[in-house]
């Protein structure tokens, strides 16, 4: 473990402003919400979002919830329908996350959506979280501030224990009132579906949106066992060829690191010329999109090391290649 003492700051005005400045500069800050502590980063910054995944040690990219100060800020990112308006009116600020279609001009990193065409948004019901979001004036992506497969943190001490050395600051706002994560409701289809049970019960949702679809509970509370397997998940239309070490006719290359397999390639883009896995994760979905073009016979992907974020990148690529 990297032994630097985490900077736990009581959530006073000056600490909140400093936290906002850190987030705007691309750093990660842990902050309290009414549900659990979140590990926050600028959702519009690919590198900051990649750093969140790195800090959590997640072996795959689960889409993240984006936090906003108010409904208007959420409407600017995703398409609200009548159901979403009713739910936001009834439960925001509060422990309900709505999964809605991204707007075409949505500035949030594709990595925060894990490549999905949708985005989860919520307005948290906590004075510190709201003050931080207002001061940051950006959408803040925040999963629970725990290392993957560990308990969710409901105090600043929990956060410090689990990932103190991985965040620039921990804003201490005391214990979280709700203590379980937000309910995640998918409104992308005709029938709303609960993807994760949480702070708002199904009984309270149904009167506002009608019958709910199948509850698809999954491993360790990270609901919908594999967002990566869902039909709606983005996979390039071009065939993907992994572990490519030599060129084939018409292929575009997604390279990694300084050693680029020799061509001729129809196109080459590099996830990270320096071989930096955080940079590679930050670029992954945008570069896949860019190469998913009919003029290429296929997308060849150079080998990516199976360590750290490399595992999540390879997991995503294998799913995309198999679909
Ligand atoms: O209470 C909470 O929601 C906390 C606090 C910090 O706000 N955040 C949290 O985030 O629990 P996280 O990343 O640990 O959980 C996000 C959940 C995952 O189960 C993920 O699969 C689902 O939301 N999710 C997010 N975006 C999604 C999307 N576009 N489609 C489907 N599921 C999505
Ligand atoms: Mg979590």
């Amino acid at each position: 473990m990297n032994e630097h003492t985490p900077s736990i700051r009581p959530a006073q005005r000056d600490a909140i402003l400093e936290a906002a400045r850190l987030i705007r500069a691309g750093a990660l800050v842990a902050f309290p919400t009414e549900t659990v502590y979140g590990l926050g980063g600028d959702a519009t910054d690919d590198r900051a979002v990649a750093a969140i995944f790195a800090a959590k040690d997640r072996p795959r990219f689960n889409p993240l919830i984006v936090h906003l100060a108010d409904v208007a800020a959420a409407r600017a990112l995703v398409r609200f329908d009548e159901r979403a308006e009713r739910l936001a009116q009834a439960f925001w600020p509060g422990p309900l996350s709505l999964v809605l279609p991204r707007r075409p001009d949505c500035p949030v990193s594709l990595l925060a959506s894990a490549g999905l065409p949708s985005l989860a948004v919520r307005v948290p019901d906590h004075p510190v979280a709201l003050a931080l979001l207002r001061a940051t004036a950006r959408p803040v992506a925040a999963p629970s501030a725990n290392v993957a497969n560990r308990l969710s943190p409901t105090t600043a001490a929990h956060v410090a224990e689990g990932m103190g050395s991985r965040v620039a600051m921990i804003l201490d706002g005391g214990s979280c009132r709700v203590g379980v994560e937000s309910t995640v409701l998918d409104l992308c289809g005709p029938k709303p579906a609960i993807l994760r049970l949480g702070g708002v019960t199904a009984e309270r949702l149904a009167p506002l949106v009608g019958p709910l679809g199948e509850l698809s509970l999954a491993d360790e509370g990270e609901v919908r066992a594999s967002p990566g397997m869902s039909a709606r998940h983005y996979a390039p239309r071009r065939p993907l060829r992994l572990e490519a070490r030599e060129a084939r006719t018409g292929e575009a290359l997604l390279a990694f690191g300084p050693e680029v397999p020799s061509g001729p390639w129809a196109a080459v883009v590099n996830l990270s010329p320096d071989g930096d896995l955080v940079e590679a994760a930050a670029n992954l979905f945008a570069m896949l999109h860019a190469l998913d073009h009919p003029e290429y016979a296929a997308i060849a992907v150079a080998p990516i090391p199976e360590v750290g974020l490399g595992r999540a990148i390879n997991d995503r690529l294998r799913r995309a290649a198999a679909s």
Side-chain angles (χ1 to χ4, degrees):
M1 242 219 170
N2 172 7
E3 294 306 331
H4 94 233
T5 320
S7 152
I8 301 189
R9 302 265 305 268
Q12 317 278 333
R13 189 76 203 149
D14 57 336
I16 292 172
L17 292 179
E18 171 68 4
R21 198 192 59 73
L22 285 165
I23 290 175
R24 292 178 66 94
L28 305 186
V29 168
F31 65 97
T33 78
E34 81 281 29
T35 59
V36 300
Y37 274 73
L39 174 67
D42 179 351
T44 66
D45 177 345
D46 289 319
R47 298 281 306 235
V49 174
I52 290 174
F53 285 106
K56 285 201 54 111
D57 264 346
R58 271 190 182 167
R60 68 171 64 139
F61 298 122
N62 283 329
L64 304 176
I65 295 167
V66 167
H67 298 67
L68 293 316
D70 52 44
V71 191
R75 279 192 205 107
L77 306 178
V78 288
R79 282 212 186 86
F80 267 59
D81 58 14
E82 276 173 54
R83 302 170 300 178
E85 293 291 351
R86 275 201 297 276
L87 291 165
Q89 168 89 32
F91 296 107
W92 283 0
L96 176 66
S97 296
L98 300 177
V99 176
L100 291 163
R102 292 171 65 108
R103 290 187 176 280
D105 57 349
C106 177
V108 170
S109 166
L110 282 174
L111 185 57
S113 290
L116 292 163
S118 59
L119 185 68
V121 290
R122 91 176 185 100
V123 177
D125 185 15
H126 193 291
V128 173
L130 290 172
L132 176 66
L133 291 166
R134 275 186 223 107
T136 305
R138 304 239 173 109
V140 171
S144 46
N146 57 309
V147 176
N149 301 323
R150 305 276 286 280
L151 288 181
S152 291
T154 53
T155 65
H158 291 163
V159 180
E161 212 179 279
M163 50 171 46
S165 59
R166 308 177 189 197
V167 293
M169 188 199 287
I170 300 169
L171 274 177
D172 187 351
S175 300
C176 302
R177 178 169 58 79
V178 177
V180 296
E181 280 97 338
S182 62
T183 299
V184 179
L185 185 70
D186 186 350
L187 291 177
C188 291
K191 205 172 192 186
I194 293 184
L195 302 182
R196 179 177 74 186
L197 289 167
V200 175
T201 60
E203 290 79 359
R204 291 173 70 204
L205 294 173
L208 289 173
V209 291
L212 296 169
E214 280 292 288
L215 184 69
S216 50
L217 280 181
D219 46 347
E220 297 120 44
E222 301 294 354
V223 185
R224 174 155 297 190
S226 38
M229 298 299 262
S230 109
R232 293 179 301 106
H233 206 290
Y234 176 78
R237 272 187 273 270
R238 306 291 97 209
L240 267 190
R241 183 166 72 87
L242 307 184
E243 305 279 334
R245 293 165 206 279
E246 80 302 319
R248 292 186 192 163
T249 312
E251 282 183 338
L253 175 70
L254 189 59
F256 173 80
E259 274 160 46
V260 175
S262 55
W265 301 101
V268 178
V269 293
N270 201 320
L271 286 167
S272 170
D274 294 336
D276 172 356
L277 288 165
V278 174
E279 182 181 28
N283 286 330
L284 179 65
F285 289 104
M287 287 186 174
L288 278 177
H289 270 283
L291 292 183
D292 193 13
H293 202 272
E295 77 187 81
Y296 306 129
I299 303 171
V301 186
I304 293 165
E306 189 74 11
V307 293
L309 271 189
R311 287 185 302 149
I313 294 172
N314 284 325
D315 170 75
R316 187 67 204 95
L317 287 169
R318 278 184 217 114
R319 285 157 191 275
S323 64

